Amino acid sequence: MTALPYEDFAHAYLTEVGETVRRMLPGSQGAVDLLAKAIVGGREIRAFGNGGSSAIVRSALLQLHAQAGVPVHDAMMSPATLAYGAQQGDYRTAFARSLASGIGRVDLVVTASVSGRSANILETARLCAEHRVPVLALVGGDGTQMEAADGMVWATGVTDQQISEDAMLTALTLAATTALDPATEPLAIRAERHLDTLAAVDTGLLGAFLREATAAVADAIRNRRRIYVLCPDGGPLALAGEHFAHNLHWDAPLGVEDVQPPLVAGDPSLADMSAIFNDHPDPAHGVRYQLSSASPEDVVFLLAYDSAGRTTREAVNAATAAGTRPFLLHRDGPGHSGAEARSFRLPRLDDFALSALAQSVAHLLCRTTRVALTAHRSGPDTALSPHDLMAQDLAPLRELSDTPTL
């Protein structure tokens, strides 16, 4: 396959994310006010989303809880609870049913839906309207798909699924930061600083990282090797890692003929994690244990705050010892080179803003991997421009809300 223009694509994509966030800013004060009022209210904030949107809204809840102890509750935190509830009734009403019994304790519901037409999100919004509970609804497009009584619809202005998701996470993160401390900088100033950082990303280095990662992931998918996406330090990067793994497992091969879903391993489940910390009070134990099952040529993505941290160093060492192909995304610490890991240093952003950029890298890789898988079938002379890559929107393939209930 002819070399893809990774650097130009990364630049075009991140530029579009930044422009989308900037277009969302006129509606930012309403979002900040809703979040600030709920924080002061002292009751619960709930959040709902499907697919990658679930990681986005849970990141906002984690931010509010970790930085200010805001009472939060998310029925999607437990896959077991979500699956069991859906089996007992209808997934269309699963979110609304989980909210109904305790809605009197809720000050705000945050939802995210790129289409704005997901049936379970609309059911939740209707329930909130009946009980006069404000909804902060992030949607793609122009926002006319739904209404949020006593709240607001915050639209991205674009229908591209991945760009909308990245803009949603960025805008929501900035709004939550502002709401937590409204006496400091307004959101517009925070946003401009973030957008300046986004524009300063070295897309040449990012392009080189994507080139190697794309080749490794496409090879792993075609040859049925495992792909690991791990964030051993937890926090918002772990939620970005969950979204990352979802992209590689579901989105990258979606609709590509004769390509099976890849074998993707993510961070430990709640059951695994609680057992690890109970039996081994060492954060590095979990990732060492997971990577003990890795085989040569498996692909390992490690998301880290600090590459010099012991947990990250032990993860890189375990991945290297297993003969895997490790890729490290990190903000702090030295780069790992050569036999250890292919690394890309993310800019200096706080933990939550960092996760938004890590999510963008995941989306870039998802799109280039889809193209690589398709090009492998089309022949070695296939070449695409950055414009072609920007057009690889997965939203048309992800319109699952109209699927009949089984």
Side-chain angles (χ1 to χ4, degrees):
M1 180 175 66
T2 304
L4 295 174
Y6 296 95
E7 178 180 347
D8 292 343
F9 169 48
H11 176 76
Y13 184 92
L14 293 179
T15 298
E16 182 60 26
V17 171
E19 291 177 353
T20 302
V21 172
R22 185 169 277 109
R23 287 193 297 267
M24 292 177 71
L25 290 179
S28 62
Q29 191 57 51
V32 171
D33 290 344
L34 282 171
L35 289 164
K37 183 178 179 181
I39 291 168
V40 173
R43 294 189 295 178
E44 287 184 2
I45 298 177
R46 303 284 296 272
F48 301 95
N50 297 295
S53 296
S54 70
I56 290 170
V57 294
R58 281 184 289 134
S59 184
L61 293 192
L62 175 61
Q63 183 180 16
L64 297 174
H65 181 68
Q67 297 188 16
V70 177
V72 300
H73 178 73
D74 179 5
M76 299 176 66
M77 284 292 187
S78 168
T81 301
L82 182 63
Y84 186 71
Q87 291 296 325
Q88 301 304 305
D90 179 355
Y91 189 64
R92 175 190 179 97
T93 60
F95 294 168
R97 283 186 285 113
S98 74
L99 178 63
S101 61
I103 199 166
R105 300 190 301 271
V106 176
D107 273 336
L108 178 67
V109 169
V110 181
T111 66
S113 171
V114 174
S115 71
R117 295 189 296 273
S118 298
N120 48 15
I121 298 296
L122 294 177
E123 289 284 348
T124 302
R126 277 194 284 270
L127 176 67
C128 289
E130 291 174 7
H131 291 267
R132 309 296 295 177
V133 173
V135 175
L136 173 57
L138 291 97
V139 302
D142 62 7
T144 59
Q145 311 97 305
M146 65 181 296
E147 297 181 3
D150 297 310
M152 65 172 282
V153 175
W154 201 2
T156 66
V158 297
T159 57
D160 184 293
Q161 178 180 311
Q162 287 75 45
I163 289 172
S164 279
E165 287 182 341
D166 291 346
M168 285 177 180
L169 180 55
T170 302
L172 187 57
T173 292
L174 292 167
T177 301
T178 307
L180 284 166
D181 193 0
T184 59
E185 296 176 311
L187 186 142
I189 293 176
R190 298 176 192 272
E192 284 303 323
R193 185 166 57 247
H194 178 88
L195 295 175
D196 287 344
T197 304
L198 193 65
V201 170
D202 189 330
T203 51
L205 293 178
L206 178 56
F209 180 90
L210 286 172
R211 181 193 297 275
E212 292 190 29
T214 299
V217 170
D219 178 71
I221 292 174
R222 287 193 292 262
N223 292 290
R224 308 302 294 158
R225 299 189 180 101
R226 291 188 191 92
I227 302 169
Y228 294 81
V229 182
L230 305 172
C231 180
D233 291 326
L237 268 186
L239 289 168
E242 177 187 310
H243 197 162
F244 201 136
H246 166 72
N247 287 152
L248 293 180
H249 181 260
W250 182 268
D251 289 344
L254 190 64
V256 181
E257 187 177 353
D258 296 332
V259 173
Q260 294 177 279
L263 307 169
V264 180
D267 282 314
S269 68
L270 177 61
D272 292 333
M273 187 63 77
S274 59
I276 288 166
F277 280 105
N278 186 55
D279 297 338
H280 299 268
D282 176 5
H285 175 74
V287 71
R288 286 198 307 265
Y289 180 82
Q290 280 185 288
L291 291 176
S292 67
S293 67
S295 301
E297 300 304 311
D298 285 352
V299 177
V300 178
F301 288 98
L302 295 169
L303 278 61
Y305 302 100
D306 184 359
S307 66
R310 188 177 67 84
T311 304
T312 301
R313 286 188 284 107
E314 294 206 20
V316 171
N317 291 339
T320 303
T324 69
R325 304 169 75 173
F327 294 86
L328 174 65
L329 284 169
H330 65 106
R331 176 189 60 198
D332 303 320
H336 289 254
S337 60
E340 285 187 316
R342 177 54 147 144
S343 68
F344 179 69
R345 189 196 304 275
L346 296 160
R348 290 290 305 172
L349 295 164
D350 68 56
D351 289 357
F352 288 89
L354 184 72
S355 68
L357 186 52
Q359 178 178 286
S360 290
V361 174
H363 282 151
L364 286 164
L365 179 60
C366 175
R367 292 197 182 195
T368 55
T369 298
R370 279 182 53 77
V371 170
L373 293 172
T374 304
H376 182 74
R377 297 179 47 80
S378 303
D381 295 327
T382 302
L384 291 178
S385 68
H387 179 272
D388 296 323
L389 284 164
M390 287 296 292
Q392 297 290 310
D393 179 18
L394 298 183
L397 295 174
R398 293 294 304 277
E399 288 293 342
L400 305 182
S401 59
D402 295 330
T403 302
T405 301
L406 298 178

